[in-house]
Amino acid sequence: MTLIDVVVPGPWWNSLSYEYEGDVKPGVRVLVPMGPSKRVGFSLGRSSGPSENKEIFRIRSLIRPLDEETLFPNDLWLLSHWIGVNFLCGRGEALRVMSPSQLLKGEATEPIPPSGVEKLNRSFTQNYYYFSEDEQRHKRYVDILRNNQGSAILLFPERVLAELFYSLLETQGFEKVLLWPSVGGKKLWEAWNKARIGDVNIIVGGPGAVFAPLCNPELILVDEESSPAYRLQSVPFLQIRSVAVQRARIAKSSLYLCGRLPSSKIFLHKKPEEQLVSPEKRAFFVDTKFAPKPDFPGISSSFPLSESLVRETMKCLGEKRTALWILDRKGYAGEITCEECGGTLVCHSCGVALRAEEEAVNVTCPLCGYKAPFPKKCPKCGGFLLSGKRPGLEIVLKIAQALCGEGYPVVEWHAEKNTSKKRLREINAHFVHGGIVVGSRAALSLCDSMLVGMIGWIDADAEARKVVYRSKFDAYRMVLESFWRGREAAQRRVIIQSRRPGKGWQRGILEGWTSFWYKELKERQEYGFPPFSILAEITPPPNKKEELLDYLVEKNIMAMDPGGKEKTLWIFVERPGKLKKVLEPWFNISKSREGFPLVSLWID
């Protein structure tokens, strides 16, 4: 009997060993007993552990292999190991996120033996192209594909951008092109098998397309590589740009990192050339301290609406184009305070600040959903002077409706609204002669299908106020995107309302991202923030925070407790390998009943 190591997808990091009569090739799916049930895992080949002393523990038998050969191309199989090590998630979690659900259910499919990387007569190359306008970049991508003439994967941060480029390739006569599905199920399974057997040559898609099983793709291109959309929002918290770079290294591909501006890590280490096209004549910086503030019942400190914002909005509507008013904050009022005692109304169950909605008729907890009538007096001091602070999109919507009257349509657009394709078609048809869209940052995607003549940032400082190390970059990136994204962007005017107009990070809008990054990286280096280190956020299992903190101290790992309601710990490391070895005991399958920590890495 031979011992076979098997990795079973799950939150644990260790592999399991099973007996089997014969060898099983690495990467082949196997059916194994696990607890009282059966699971599909992936063979790692013969066990490197000891086969003696079997009497100490029970070794169960592998039920059967499900394939003769691995279904993964060799570059993807090697990539799964790299992901497990470098993102502190284990190889099982990497294989889970890489695999269609049918693969993990054991569904049969025709095996295609992969070609080995060692047979490739080529070398890895890394290229950069940064330009503000989408149309210009997309033309360059078409030229790159024509010169490549081999298999290729092109990644876009949003599905709508992938669809636009896919449509462009259709008009340019490219064949064997596949638009990678954005969801799982039957469509993903069909696309996965088409890519694996070579029915397609070019794959265009969102971040998930990086796992398309093209065998050793000759070209991998990442558009808008600095976009936060490439960071997965669920376990494992992968940074898809880094995954794409490593896959290109393994497959010896030509890698292209592109976009409007580079990420901090790329700028720090590669210093790509900037082709500065300043939008100076289209940028209007407005000081909110001197702008009038419309009054609304129950709301103090309402949003300033500058003369420039109103003027440019009306001009845009006169041109029969759409105006976007952007505020990345929802709600009628962000918080309710008592003018007498200065206290803030909070939820009685979770302690989060309540917000006023529905014209100050009700108050709602944004965390647990608790809802109650707007109180008549302060629960702390009994005072009657309650007012809402920091109003949100609902107030902005009412202002836009009052400005337009019956003359132009006004709608609200953000991630929690109905933003389906059907709804998008309805909005496009309704706004054919212009109107106002009030929304969060998600509204920027409307630039791809509408003629947006003007964008107004109601509170440009809001994003930069967040207490995270990359808040200024996120604010800068979004405002820069508003100048250049979508149709006829070079004619678009942008109003930036701010308490410090044209100062700080906003100077980079006119001076370029080289100027922005030099100043931003100087600050980050002082504190050791990414990209000068890797920040690991670790959320322990319930009631295990102190135990994990003591364990890390014992292992000479410096961990910080940021406090607050989040039960996370922060650890700054140069490389994740050392931290992975320290954390391995916490991710053994024997810990299943206690639960496993969640680890999220920030690399730039």
Side-chain angles (χ1 to χ4, degrees):
M1 299 291 283
T2 304
L3 277 183
I4 304 295
D5 282 341
V6 175
V7 58
V8 179
W12 47 84
W13 291 357
N14 58 298
S15 59
L16 305 175
S17 297
Y18 293 89
E19 287 186 333
Y20 185 68
E21 294 183 357
D23 287 335
V24 182
K25 295 180 179 179
V28 168
R29 291 180 302 168
V30 293
L31 187 65
V32 296
M34 191 171 176
S37 62
K38 301 175 183 177
R39 293 283 300 274
V40 173
F42 296 87
S43 168
L44 298 178
R46 284 197 176 198
S47 175
S48 56
S51 57
E52 63 273 7
N53 298 326
K54 291 184 181 180
E55 65 277 2
I56 299 177
F57 49 86
R58 177 190 175 197
I59 298 180
R60 305 179 75 177
S61 297
L62 185 149
I63 299 173
R64 69 176 185 277
L66 298 177
D67 315 298
E68 295 181 4
E69 301 282 348
T70 175
L71 301 182
F72 285 108
N74 198 44
D75 60 311
L76 272 185
W77 178 246
L78 296 175
L79 183 67
S80 68
H81 172 72
W82 182 87
I83 291 174
V85 171
N86 288 275
F87 283 94
L88 307 183
C89 63
R91 195 170 193 172
E93 282 288 74
L95 288 166
R96 180 184 62 80
V97 77
M98 292 168 61
S99 304
S101 59
Q102 292 86 344
L103 199 69
L104 301 180
K105 293 176 182 177
E107 189 165 324
T109 184
E110 182 181 355
I112 303 294
S115 59
V117 174
E118 66 280 0
K119 298 178 182 178
L120 298 176
N121 186 24
R122 65 190 193 213
S123 58
F124 167 72
T125 61
Q126 200 160 344
N127 310 275
Y128 308 93
Y129 178 68
Y130 296 95
F131 199 80
S132 299
E133 290 187 77
D134 292 348
E135 185 176 350
Q136 178 75 15
R137 290 202 316 280
H138 291 179
K139 287 180 180 178
R140 178 67 179 271
Y141 301 166
V142 170
D143 292 338
I144 290 172
L145 283 175
R146 292 196 191 281
N147 293 331
N148 177 64
Q149 296 181 342
S151 59
I153 297 174
L154 294 93
L155 305 179
F156 293 82
E158 299 175 32
R159 171 72 176 184
V160 64
L161 296 175
E163 290 174 345
L164 284 172
F165 188 72
Y166 174 77
S167 298
L168 176 61
L169 292 186
E170 286 187 319
T171 64
Q172 295 293 318
F174 283 85
E175 299 179 349
K176 299 182 72 175
V177 182
L178 174 67
L179 180 62
W180 196 251
S182 58
V183 295
K186 185 178 180 181
K187 288 186 177 180
L188 179 61
W189 182 236
E190 291 175 350
W192 195 85
N193 279 291
K194 283 183 179 180
R196 191 174 58 84
I197 64 177
D199 278 358
V200 295
N201 198 44
I202 299 173
I203 290 177
V204 179
V210 72
F211 299 123
L214 283 181
C215 185
N216 300 320
E218 297 177 66
L219 168 70
I220 296 178
L221 185 147
V222 184
D223 179 56
E224 285 288 71
E225 57 90 1
S226 64
S227 171
Y230 286 115
R231 186 176 186 275
L232 299 189
Q233 298 302 305
S234 59
V235 179
F237 301 100
L238 306 182
Q239 216 298 346
I240 295 299
R241 183 205 67 222
S242 296
V243 173
V245 171
Q246 184 61 23
R247 184 173 185 186
R249 290 183 185 277
I250 294 172
K252 301 182 180 179
S253 308
S254 294
L255 173 71
Y256 283 81
L257 298 178
C258 312
R260 293 186 188 89
L261 73 161
S263 58
S264 64
K265 188 174 183 179
I266 297 301
F267 181 82
L268 177 65
H269 297 295
K270 302 298 181 182
K271 299 292 189 300
E273 179 182 357
E274 179 176 13
Q275 302 179 48
L276 178 61
V277 181
S278 176
E280 182 175 2
K281 295 182 179 179
R282 303 189 287 120
F284 299 82
F285 294 92
V286 178
D287 194 331
T288 56
K289 296 190 293 292
F290 302 106
K293 299 179 181 180
D295 292 327
F296 282 82
I299 302 292
S300 67
S301 302
S302 291
F303 286 116
L305 285 182
S306 65
E307 179 184 349
S308 296
L309 179 68
V310 175
R311 181 184 66 247
E312 293 300 329
T313 298
M314 299 311 296
K315 181 179 179 180
C316 177
L317 297 178
E319 297 168 345
K320 296 185 177 181
R321 296 182 180 230
T322 299
L324 302 186
W325 287 9
I326 297 181
L327 177 71
D328 218 32
R329 181 166 71 241
K330 298 181 288 297
Y332 185 83
E335 60 187 47
I336 305 115
T337 60
C338 175
E339 298 293 341
E340 295 187 29
C341 71
T344 298
L345 270 66
V346 297
C347 176
H348 66 281
S349 61
C350 58
V352 175
L354 296 170
R355 70 184 186 191
E357 293 186 341
E358 302 174 18
E359 301 187 14
V361 174
N362 295 311
V363 293
T364 303
C365 174
L367 185 62
C368 70
Y370 166 78
K371 192 170 187 177
F374 196 101
K376 294 181 179 181
K377 59 182 181 180
C378 175
K380 294 182 179 179
C381 71
F384 291 92
L385 298 179
L386 296 176
S387 62
K389 304 287 186 181
R390 297 178 66 237
L393 284 176
E394 283 78 354
I395 280 292
V396 181
L397 182 67
K398 293 182 181 298
I399 297 173
Q401 290 169 337
L403 181 65
C404 287
E406 299 294 328
Y408 296 94
V410 178
V411 299
E412 188 178 358
W413 188 274
H414 55 77
E416 294 180 15
K417 280 282 186 179
N418 178 9
T419 55
S420 64
K421 287 185 179 180
K422 180 181 178 181
R423 177 61 174 160
L424 179 60
R425 289 193 295 268
E426 293 173 351
I427 294 295
N428 285 332
H430 199 41
F431 276 67
V432 66
H433 297 301
I436 299 180
V437 176
V438 174
S440 65
R441 73 182 79 176
L444 288 175
S445 63
L446 297 175
C447 296
D448 301 320
S449 56
M450 291 182 175
L451 281 177
V452 176
M454 173 266 181
I455 295 179
W457 290 91
I458 306 297
D459 185 6
D461 305 308
E463 190 69 20
R465 281 197 298 267
K466 292 183 178 180
V467 190
V468 292
Y469 73 91
R470 52 176 291 147
S471 59
K472 285 187 287 186
F473 169 71
D474 288 335
Y476 173 66
R477 184 193 61 80
M478 286 195 302
V479 175
L480 186 67
E481 181 179 357
S482 66
F483 280 96
W484 299 108
R485 180 166 180 172
R487 301 168 56 192
E488 301 185 15
Q491 302 176 32
R492 183 181 305 140
R493 287 135 4 229
V494 178
I495 313 299
I496 304 167
Q497 296 194 159
S498 168
R499 293 168 181 80
R500 300 180 66 241
K503 303 294 196 310
W505 62 268
Q506 296 177 32
R507 294 182 62 180
I509 300 297
L510 304 181
E511 296 177 356
W513 45 258
T514 299
S515 171
F516 170 82
W517 272 132
Y518 273 124
K519 297 170 184 175
E520 174 71 4
L521 290 180
K522 183 178 180 181
E523 292 182 13
R524 292 197 194 181
Q525 188 173 25
E526 291 178 359
Y527 295 99
F529 287 136
F532 299 98
S533 65
I534 296 174
L535 170 60
E537 284 187 341
I538 304 178
T539 303
N543 303 316
K544 292 288 184 179
K545 184 175 182 178
E546 294 301 324
E547 182 181 341
L548 177 57
L549 188 57
D550 291 341
Y551 172 79
L552 292 171
V553 171
E554 180 184 334
K555 297 296 183 180
N556 296 318
I557 298 292
M558 182 180 295
M560 293 184 293
D561 184 353
K565 61 181 176 61
E566 296 293 336
K567 306 297 183 182
T568 58
L569 299 173
W570 289 357
I571 300 175
F572 290 92
V573 296
E574 291 185 6
R575 297 184 181 276
K578 177 182 177 181
L579 183 59
K580 184 178 188 298
K581 290 181 179 179
V582 170
L583 290 176
E584 277 179 351
W586 288 76
F587 287 90
N588 192 282
I589 196 170
S590 62
K591 298 280 188 179
S592 296
R593 291 187 178 181
E594 299 177 16
F596 303 94
L598 296 178
V599 183
S600 177
L601 298 184
W602 295 89
I603 62 177
D604 60 16

